[in-house]
Amino acid sequence: MAKKTIFEDCDVLVVGGGMAGTGAAFEARHWGRDLKIICVEKANIDRSGAVAQGLYAINYYIGMQWGENQPEDHVRYARNDLMGLVREDLGYDMARHVDATVHMFDDWGLPMMRNKETGRYQREGKWQIMIHGESYKPIVAEAARKSADKIYNRIMITHLLMDETKENRVGGAVGFNMRTGDYYVFRAKTVIVAAGGASHIFKPRAVGEGMGRTWYAPWSNGSAYALPIAVGAKMTQMENRIVLCRFKDGYGPVGAYFLHLKTYTENANGENYEKKWYDKTKELVGEYIDHHPTPTCLRNHAFIQETMAGGGPIHMVTKEAFQDPHLETVGWENFLGMTVGQAVVWASQNIDPKYTNPELTTSEPYVMGSHATCSGAWVSGPEDIAPAEYFWGYNRMTTVEGLFGAGDTVGGSAHKFSSGSFTEGRLAAKAAVKYIEEEKAKDINVSDKQCEEFKEIIFKPLENYTVGRNEITGGTVSPSYISPIQGLQRLQKIMDEYVGGISYNYMTNENTLKRGLELLEWLQEDLEKVGAEDYHQLMRAWELKHRTLTSQCVTEHTLFRQETRWPGYYYRGDYMKLDDENWHCLTLSRRDPKTGKFTMEKAPVYHIVDEKEKKEAS
Ligand code: SFD
Ligand code: AMP
């Protein structure tokens, strides 16, 4: 039912034009002057992805020019926050380049706040700098537009194409234009997946009238994971889903409040509840609770325990800071430039933070590779610092040849945020160009048959609907298809109840996970019958399929790791303690594309930064 088929051949194909994708398109042009570079985006790159609404801070700036921090410091910070488990080679690589990225944003006209006394970028916290960032996304999009040969907006990529000459080598990607219904085939020498994280796989707190309101972008649908998983790329740390402390109902971020406005939390009795949970948390995680700053998950843990013990609601004490007119302005602007919905919720609930301390909540879990979490694809590190197990030729290349990742797509490199994601896109693109120059992409063959088969698969939900609707005699429920929204709610219920969502206070165990996997498998079967009434619903159908595959992978990983490494993100009730002896490691999965079965393994964690320093000292 596709209208037309459009073929486009290129050298570098960037899937997703968010922060990482725009960085990739920009850098690919720098190194590959004569290469054909295409970026394909589901929405419109001017306002797509997590930064669509803007941001009020760049959360990752080292400040090397002023000696504020060094790259090693950031590696230690991310390692600490993730309870010891990160890919330090990837983190270090990003840290040594991220400042240069931020300086380009400054050159391109992003309004940076300056400290009037020092002239430096205005710090919000140790790593964060403040911006007037409502137009952050259009600014980086312009750089991508000027670099790429072509940007295709409104095309959702649904599958990767594979080379038929050499096994395990990528050959491009396919998708459809959700406005025209045309089928697109992009045959490419390299593909960089930069398709963002995953919201809406766990049941959100905002349902009914608030449905669609989440902290992470509601349109982040896990393509970043589903695309590589489907072709057998290895994934890492997919169990490390993130839960965030957020202002209630609007999901407004708390960073600027904690770090810049110096607001603090208290329980309903006005007590500092975090202290109360110290001893009990120490029993679970040992000395990790004494680390500074307190890891994000452990801050959540105290919040969740306090609420379960009846100490809620938890409030952010804003009344003191908001007496200062400057801080009051910052408090409001922070949301007006980033999460307008929070300001609207406050207005609608009659909350003026100057006179009322607003409530906080813990969010439903999200799957991401770029915040205080590091789920994603298992990629090669940089050649100068990656240990042998982490290196297979090209920086940020997945275990599928020619397939690269960046931003939320890449696992193991936490705390990249907007600036680190753009930086990682640049690193991936530089390596992709090298891969082409070193003739690793020669003689790729993608047959017409492969493309035709995908066309049939992609447009099938339209046919399911067209045929199935004839059986409806009243109402909208069909005996032979399910709609994308019905499927989404079924997925969210499974993930919520069996894999550690909000309804169960993030609790799960082996038995519930196994049952969850069974239900997910049956959901996958039924998704063959998803029906789409138009091209927009076709996108919803494919978003759902990508979310479901991502969810399967998250569940397999959660089952594999027999410990509770990040209390506050989720709990394995059958293994409530952190277990460094057996689980101070990264988890890897691979789904066999032929059988659909996952296999799991452990990979070592190398603490490269301090090893390097120890060697230098000796
Ligand atoms: O404070 C397909 N983030 C923040 N980062 C900061 O630096 N400072 C902040 O203040 C931040 N805060 C924040 C942040 C995010 C959100 C939603 C809020 C507040 C409310 C995090 C960053 O935004 C995030 O780390 C990066 O944007 C991640 O970059 P990337 O490139 O991995 O993801 P993306 O930007 O969402 O882009 C993905 C793109 O892919 C498209 N896409 N295109 C084609 N086919 C498909 N199948 C596709 N699937 C997806 C998307 O449309 C998108 O354009 S604070 O709260 O942390
Ligand atoms: P958030 O607004 O929660 O997404 O956080 C933005 C940035 O501030 C991230 O780098 C967080 O890790 C950091 N951050 C948020 N809250 C705190 C806190 N209480 N202590 C230290 N860092 C924080």
Side-chain angles (χ1 to χ4, degrees):
M1 278 204 253
K3 286 212 174 133
K4 280 190 286 191
T5 300
I6 293 153
F7 288 90
E8 178 81 88
D9 292 350
C10 63
D11 296 298
V12 180
L13 176 67
V14 181
V15 177
M19 287 310 295
T22 49
F26 170 79
E27 192 77 9
R29 175 59 70 221
H30 179 82
W31 299 100
R33 294 275 154 200
D34 304 325
L35 296 187
K36 186 164 173 191
I37 300 154
I38 299 286
C39 175
V40 185
E41 164 59 47
K42 179 172 83 158
N44 182 313
I45 66 160
D46 275 343
R47 283 283 168 192
S48 71
V51 183
Q53 269 189 73
L55 294 176
Y56 200 68
I58 290 176
N59 281 347
Y60 184 13
Y61 179 70
I62 304 280
M64 275 186 278
Q65 61 172 326
W66 299 305
E68 290 177 331
N69 299 288
Q70 294 304 321
E72 288 84 352
D73 300 325
H74 193 268
V75 174
R76 290 191 196 100
Y77 166 63
R79 176 209 293 164
N80 171 55
D81 200 48
L82 272 290
M83 308 290 278
L85 309 186
V86 285
R87 278 276 301 271
E88 297 188 8
D89 60 326
L90 300 178
Y92 184 84
D93 192 29
M94 220 164 35
R96 64 185 168 179
H97 289 108
V98 70
D99 282 10
T101 289
V102 173
H103 300 159
M104 287 196 312
F105 295 163
D106 192 352
D107 285 350
W108 295 341
L110 179 67
M112 319 287 289
M113 291 189 209
R114 296 265 178 184
N115 181 312
K116 286 202 183 72
E117 277 152 35
T118 62
R120 299 176 184 175
Y121 295 141
Q122 174 66 52
R123 280 281 174 198
E124 178 180 282
K126 188 170 167 60
W127 303 105
Q128 303 79 1
I129 54 174
M130 298 172 74
I131 56 173
H132 290 288
E134 189 277 339
S135 299
Y136 195 176
K137 192 63 211 302
I139 289 169
V140 296
E142 187 182 338
R145 260 203 320 274
K146 286 179 173 162
S147 305
D149 287 82
K150 193 155 184 192
I151 309 273
Y152 284 92
N153 287 316
R154 303 287 170 203
I155 293 179
M156 180 178 183
I157 294 296
T158 55
H159 300 83
L160 294 171
L161 292 166
M162 293 301 280
D163 176 25
E164 289 163 50
T165 315
K166 190 167 182 233
E167 215 183 322
N168 196 40
R169 185 165 69 164
V170 80
V174 292
F176 65 97
N177 184 310
M178 69 206 60
R179 295 281 161 88
T180 64
D182 293 334
Y183 174 54
Y184 277 82
V185 178
F186 299 96
R187 286 176 300 218
K189 290 183 182 161
T190 58
V191 179
I192 302 172
V193 174
S199 58
H200 277 297
I201 69 172
F202 285 83
K203 189 176 112 190
R205 288 210 188 269
V207 292
E209 62 82 28
M211 198 183 84
R213 198 184 293 144
T214 52
W215 165 69
Y216 212 45
W219 44 83
S220 297
N221 73 289
S223 296
Y225 312 115
L227 292 169
I229 291 169
V231 295
K234 283 190 182 175
M235 306 299 286
T236 189
Q237 301 295 88
M238 291 296 282
E239 69 278 22
N240 180 216
R241 79 297 286 281
I242 184 169
V243 169
L244 294 117
C245 170
R246 288 292 176 254
F247 282 101
K248 192 163 179 300
D249 297 333
Y251 289 90
V254 295
Y257 278 72
F258 276 129
L259 302 176
H260 191 68
L261 307 187
K262 306 275 187 272
T263 60
Y264 57 92
T265 54
E266 63 182 25
N267 69 8
N269 300 323
E271 298 159 342
N272 173 346
Y273 60 88
E274 284 193 16
K275 279 199 297 206
K276 275 171 57 181
W277 296 100
Y278 174 84
D279 290 334
K280 285 209 165 122
T281 310
K282 193 152 191 156
E283 281 169 26
L284 296 181
V285 300
E287 52 90 31
Y288 285 87
I289 185 62
D290 298 320
H291 289 198
H292 293 286
T294 307
T296 306
C297 64
L298 298 184
R299 276 187 268 126
N300 285 351
H301 175 66
F303 189 124
I304 296 163
Q305 296 309 306
E306 181 66 15
T307 316
M308 280 164 64
I314 306 292
H315 290 109
M316 183 74 104
V317 181
T318 51
K319 286 199 285 193
E320 295 163 13
F322 271 59
Q323 298 312 314
D324 174 338
H326 171 67
L327 296 184
E328 183 186 14
T329 306
V330 170
W332 280 105
E333 276 186 1
N334 176 54
F335 290 138
L336 294 172
M338 172 171 67
T339 310
V340 183
Q342 185 63 58
V344 175
V345 165
W346 279 348
S348 72
Q349 295 182 352
N350 236 359
I351 294 170
D352 181 344
K354 194 172 179 177
Y355 306 108
T356 310
N357 292 329
E359 254 183 83
L360 296 171
T361 189
T362 51
S363 73
E364 62 281 357
Y366 306 99
V367 183
M368 300 175 65
S370 68
H371 204 277
T373 170
C374 56
S375 302
W378 181 241
V379 296
S380 175
E383 61 186 339
D384 58 338
I385 41 176
E389 276 112 322
Y390 294 174
F391 182 70
W392 47 95
Y394 295 93
N395 202 359
R396 267 66 180 185
M397 189 167 84
T398 68
T399 55
V400 171
E401 284 181 48
L403 178 64
F404 294 77
D408 277 325
T409 308
V410 167
S413 49
H415 283 274
K416 46 194 150 194
F417 297 99
S418 60
S419 46
S421 297
F422 191 95
T423 304
E424 206 172 42
R426 296 177 62 197
L427 294 168
K430 182 179 178 185
V433 171
K434 187 163 175 252
Y435 176 91
I436 295 170
E437 279 173 353
E438 292 178 356
E439 308 216 324
K440 293 292 184 338
K442 274 182 89 174
D443 304 324
I444 295 176
N445 174 34
V446 173
S447 67
D448 288 349
K449 183 168 167 279
Q450 189 181 160
C451 302
E452 277 304 309
E453 279 170 5
F454 277 130
K455 183 168 157 183
E456 187 111 328
I457 292 168
I458 291 171
F459 289 90
K460 181 144 177 286
L462 290 172
E463 195 182 312
N464 289 345
Y465 173 82
T466 311
V467 175
R469 72 180 163 184
N470 297 316
E471 295 168 0
I472 302 175
T473 51
T476 53
V477 177
S478 159
S480 55
Y481 67 78
I482 58 169
S483 67
I485 186 70
Q486 289 165 338
L488 180 67
Q489 286 171 350
R490 184 164 145 195
L491 171 68
Q492 291 176 349
K493 183 171 158 66
I494 297 169
M495 294 304 285
D496 182 50
E497 294 178 350
Y498 294 96
V499 193
I502 48 170
S503 308
Y504 286 69
N505 290 313
Y506 313 102
M507 180 61 74
T508 185
N509 67 31
E510 180 176 333
N511 295 317
T512 54
L513 288 164
K514 284 188 171 158
R515 178 66 180 147
L517 280 173
E518 231 167 39
L519 293 171
L520 285 171
E521 201 172 323
W522 297 335
L523 172 61
Q524 285 238 318
E525 259 177 53
D526 287 351
L527 289 186
E528 289 303 307
K529 303 265 174 55
V530 67
E533 61 191 80
D534 55 31
Y535 298 127
H536 193 77
Q537 288 302 307
L538 187 62
M539 174 187 71
R540 290 281 182 254
W542 280 102
E543 287 181 337
L544 172 60
K545 283 171 184 253
H546 285 184
R547 283 190 166 103
T548 306
L549 192 52
T550 302
S551 300
Q552 272 191 317
C553 189
V554 168
T555 311
E556 293 278 2
H557 273 256
T558 311
L559 180 61
F560 183 62
R561 184 179 284 282
Q562 294 176 327
E563 66 160 350
T564 299
R565 169 66 49 170
W566 306 276
Y569 287 174
Y570 75 95
Y571 303 88
R572 275 287 304 253
D574 42 357
Y575 298 98
M576 276 299 279
K577 290 195 176 178
L578 180 145
D579 176 3
D580 257 341
E581 207 173 302
N582 296 300
W583 292 98
H584 195 92
C585 64
L586 302 166
T587 56
L588 304 188
S589 67
R590 180 176 184 274
R591 178 184 172 276
D592 184 332
K594 293 197 183 90
T595 63
K597 296 282 171 240
F598 283 84
T599 45
M600 304 295 310
E601 61 184 301
K602 292 180 178 181
V605 176
Y606 291 108
H607 296 304
I608 300 166
V609 161
D610 291 316
E611 284 305 311
K612 193 172 136 237
E613 300 210 325
K614 265 187 232 155
K615 268 189 213 144
E616 277 166 9
S618 64

